[in-house]
Amino acid sequence: MNKIKIVIAGARGRMGKEAVYLTGRTEHFDLVGVLDHKHEGKKLSDLDGFTGYDVPIYTDIEKCFQTEKPDVLIDLTTPEFGYYHAKTALSYGVRPVVGTTGFTKENLQELEDLCEEMNRGCIIAPNFALGAVLMMKFSQIAAKYYQDVEIMEMHHDQKLDAPSGTAIKTAELMAEVRQAKNQGHPDEKETIPGARGADFDGMRIHSTRLPGLIAHQQVLFGAEGESLTIRHDSYNRVSFMSGVKLAVEEVLKVNVLVYGLENIME
Ligand SMILES: NC(=O)c1ccc[n+]([C@@H]2O[C@H](COP(=O)([O-])OP(=O)(O)OC[C@H]3O[C@@H](n4cnc5c(N)ncnc54)[C@H](O)[C@@H]3O)[C@@H](O)[C@H]2O)c1
Ligand SMILES: O=C(O)C1=N[C@H](C(=O)O)CCC1
């Protein structure tokens, strides 16, 4: 089997580091370079925590793609750079696997169009943890039967975007099947703005940020005399890596934008 040539953007970050280690322990993955906003000209192995990863660091994405000719770009950076990296990758025929969250609907549409134009696949997964994908699907099933639902997502306090990509994706999946309703009392008033959370199609999303947390979400359904809670917890970032591996393997088989791991999980 030919090895899959991979570039990682954001390799020094919390997720990027785990993705580097994933390539190190996966026989058919070949890390050929990393993208950073500093350390041009160095090797990744020059940096703490990356002994043995003797691959070049690039700050110029085009130079990186021209030199290394990767099959796949894994992006784990920020919304602004993630979007730019994914677009540039597609324009070079490189298939992006994007874990970066905070993309707008317009970003997604543009990437979908670019996939079609370039006849290349791109996978964007708001959450790579397989249990989180199941939590979203189970919530979608429950939303058929329960109109009243609120999403509570809880993340570490270094997270830049709110609500989380997972919460938005969960709301989108539920909105496909849920009978529309505005959550709460029709006359309710917030005495402190934001008290009722973000409004997505009448569903409320509450974002908690605390040190010590990693990534957690509970979807709470209520009906007369009962409630149903569907919850997922990631206790470390290794929990995301089986999803990253799957996405890298699957992105080579598609020529469209895939938004959400549920679309490629058997
Ligand atoms: N899809 C998932 O399952 C999942 C899981 C965890 C985190 N995330 C998302 O992944 C992203 C990264 O999260 P994190 O916790 O690793 O963040 P982090 O801040 O630890 O890492 C981000 C890295 O990107 C680098 N970076 C910033 N700008 C860059 C640029 N222009 N070029 C190259 N590198 C650049 C930073 O130096 C940093 O090392 C976030 O958007 C987060 O929401 C997704
Ligand atoms: O750490 C983060 O940031 C995470 N972001 C994802 C999101 O926005 O849903 C999920 C996993 C962790």
Side-chain angles (χ1 to χ4, degrees):
M1 183 198 247
N2 280 346
K3 288 194 175 200
I4 304 172
K5 290 168 72 178
I6 297 171
V7 163
I8 297 177
R12 281 184 301 113
R14 288 173 289 260
M15 278 290 280
K17 192 174 282 185
E18 289 303 335
V20 169
Y21 299 158
L22 171 72
T23 63
R25 63 176 178 266
T26 309
E27 190 70 28
H28 58 291
F29 284 6
D30 183 14
L31 182 67
V32 293
V34 300
L35 270 170
D36 203 319
H37 52 97
K38 51 186 188 183
H39 302 303
E40 173 75 37
K42 286 191 179 169
K43 293 275 175 77
L44 187 58
S45 52
D46 297 334
L47 309 183
D48 279 351
F50 295 108
T51 306
Y53 291 96
D54 198 21
V55 298
I57 301 176
Y58 293 89
T59 54
D60 180 337
I61 189 168
E62 304 211 25
K63 184 174 155 196
C64 173
F65 290 159
Q66 284 159 8
T67 313
E68 302 300 339
K69 300 187 171 39
D71 302 303
V72 174
L73 166 74
I74 301 176
D75 189 275
L76 299 158
T77 59
T78 62
E80 186 192 351
F81 287 107
Y83 173 62
Y84 167 67
H85 290 159
K87 260 178 74 165
T88 311
L90 284 168
S91 73
Y92 273 84
V94 177
R95 294 160 188 266
V97 166
V98 181
T100 306
T101 51
F103 283 17
T104 63
K105 274 192 173 159
E106 291 72 31
N107 292 159
L108 295 176
Q109 187 58 57
E110 277 186 44
L111 291 173
E112 186 174 349
D113 294 345
L114 198 52
C115 283
E116 197 177 324
E117 191 186 318
M118 298 301 298
N119 197 33
R120 284 289 186 282
C122 170
I123 295 179
I124 299 180
N127 201 313
F128 284 117
L130 302 185
V133 180
L134 292 176
M135 176 260 299
M136 291 186 250
K137 288 301 287 178
F138 295 158
S139 299
Q140 187 184 40
I141 294 171
K144 263 193 222 168
Y145 306 99
Y146 293 91
Q147 269 184 300
D148 292 272
V149 52
E150 305 223 352
I151 300 173
M152 286 137 214
E153 57 98 336
M154 294 146 274
H155 282 82
H156 59 91
D157 64 349
Q158 298 305 300
K159 186 164 177 57
L160 297 178
D161 52 315
S164 70
T166 308
I168 295 170
K169 181 74 188 177
T170 309
E172 287 170 351
L173 287 171
M174 292 197 294
E176 284 175 18
V177 298
R178 171 179 171 266
Q179 206 183 326
K181 178 176 178 182
N182 284 331
Q183 224 47 53
H185 196 284
D187 297 332
E188 73 182 12
K189 300 249 173 331
E190 290 181 329
T191 52
I192 300 179
R196 290 287 291 117
D199 182 342
F200 186 107
D201 228 25
M203 292 176 269
R204 294 291 169 157
I205 306 179
H206 308 272
S207 298
T208 300
R209 299 287 177 265
L210 285 172
L213 296 176
I214 301 281
H216 317 261
Q217 177 169 297
Q218 94 181 18
V219 185
L220 186 57
F221 297 87
E224 186 57 42
E226 60 166 332
S227 70
L228 168 67
T229 304
I230 301 175
R231 180 175 172 121
H232 177 263
D233 297 273
S234 272
Y235 298 113
N236 62 33
R237 292 179 177 84
V238 180
S239 64
F240 302 114
M241 292 305 130
S242 51
V244 174
K245 179 171 178 281
L246 177 70
V248 168
E249 291 162 353
E250 293 299 311
V251 77
L252 298 171
K253 302 177 191 164
V254 294
N255 292 319
V256 292
L257 175 76
V258 175
Y259 168 50
L261 221 56
E262 68 279 6
N263 297 301
I264 55 165
M265 274 167 69
E266 291 284 299

